[in-house]
Amino acid sequence: DKQQVLAEIKALGEQDSGVTELSKTLRSVQQKWKNIGEVDFKLRNALYDSYQKALNPLRDKVSAFHQANADQKQALLIKAEQLLELESGNDAIEQAKKLQQAWKVIEHAGKRAEAELWPAFRKINDSLFAKKAEASQQDQIHLKQKVALVKEQVAQLETSLSTAEDK
């Protein structure tokens, strides 16, 4: 059974499938190897060495793929952090939306990297949108104040007009 798994791993190395598919298949093959359990102690070390020798180049390929994706996502995270310093909330939001779209296009960066990068990216975006909402709320308050001032001026004008002796 373990020899069959070794053959599967070698076949994986010869395939030209995408790295995402390779990663999924690799996990499956590793689980198969684990589920097979122990073998004769005389064969154990030789089989394990063959397993590691066949598996390592594939792991390296997946790791390099994940690292490249993590680097791209880290660059987006840095760009998002810079948006926090922009004065114009509308510009920051538009750019943040573009960064979110770019994030979606980048493939998986590995469990550990995703667990660190996504929450940080999300937190920055949440801050940007909260900043925009706060600015919008302040604009609404200022608008209401201006409307109240204009209403008061109109009321004063109407009072002046009603008390005027001639037109």
Side-chain angles (χ1 to χ4, degrees):
D1 288 344
K2 291 211 176 195
Q3 288 291 354
Q4 185 179 358
V5 171
L6 284 173
E8 281 183 53
I9 293 171
K10 288 177 185 171
L12 277 176
E14 296 167 2
Q15 290 178 354
D16 248 359
S17 63
V19 180
T20 302
E21 188 62 34
L22 173 65
S23 178
K24 290 177 187 174
T25 308
L26 205 53
R27 279 192 301 263
S28 169
V29 168
Q30 287 174 306
Q31 190 60 46
K32 270 187 200 177
W33 180 272
K34 192 176 180 181
N35 290 342
I36 291 170
E38 290 295 320
V39 294
D40 186 6
F41 75 95
K42 295 175 187 171
L43 301 173
R44 182 182 324 143
N45 289 340
L47 275 172
Y48 186 74
D49 289 345
S50 296
Y51 172 70
Q52 290 300 323
K53 194 178 282 185
L55 204 58
N56 284 338
L58 299 176
R59 280 185 185 150
D60 292 345
K61 185 176 181 179
V62 170
S63 285
F65 175 74
H66 285 165
Q67 186 59 50
N69 292 339
D71 291 345
Q72 290 177 38
K73 288 183 176 186
Q74 181 65 41
L76 291 177
L77 183 65
I78 290 168
K79 287 179 182 178
E81 287 172 341
Q82 293 169 348
L83 294 178
L84 289 170
E85 298 169 12
L86 287 180
E87 289 297 318
S88 172
N90 291 333
D91 288 344
I93 294 299
E94 287 306 312
Q95 290 181 37
K97 288 178 181 178
K98 289 176 184 174
L99 292 177
Q100 290 172 355
Q101 292 302 316
W103 187 282
K104 289 179 184 178
V105 173
I106 300 170
E107 293 192 48
H108 192 66
K111 259 186 180 178
R112 194 170 295 138
E114 289 289 342
E116 292 174 13
L117 292 170
W118 174 246
F121 186 71
R122 184 69 195 183
K123 183 178 179 182
I124 290 169
N125 279 282
D126 288 348
S127 296
L128 287 169
F129 283 93
K131 186 177 175 182
K132 170 75 169 127
E134 185 179 325
S136 179
Q137 189 177 21
Q138 289 299 322
D139 289 346
Q140 287 294 324
I141 291 170
H142 290 298
L143 185 61
K144 285 181 182 179
Q145 288 173 346
K146 285 182 181 180
V147 167
L149 181 64
V150 168
K151 283 182 178 179
E152 184 181 316
Q153 289 173 344
V154 167
Q156 287 174 357
L157 192 60
E158 286 175 344
T159 304
S160 295
L161 282 174
S162 67
T163 59
E165 294 189 12
D166 64 40
K167 292 187 180 182

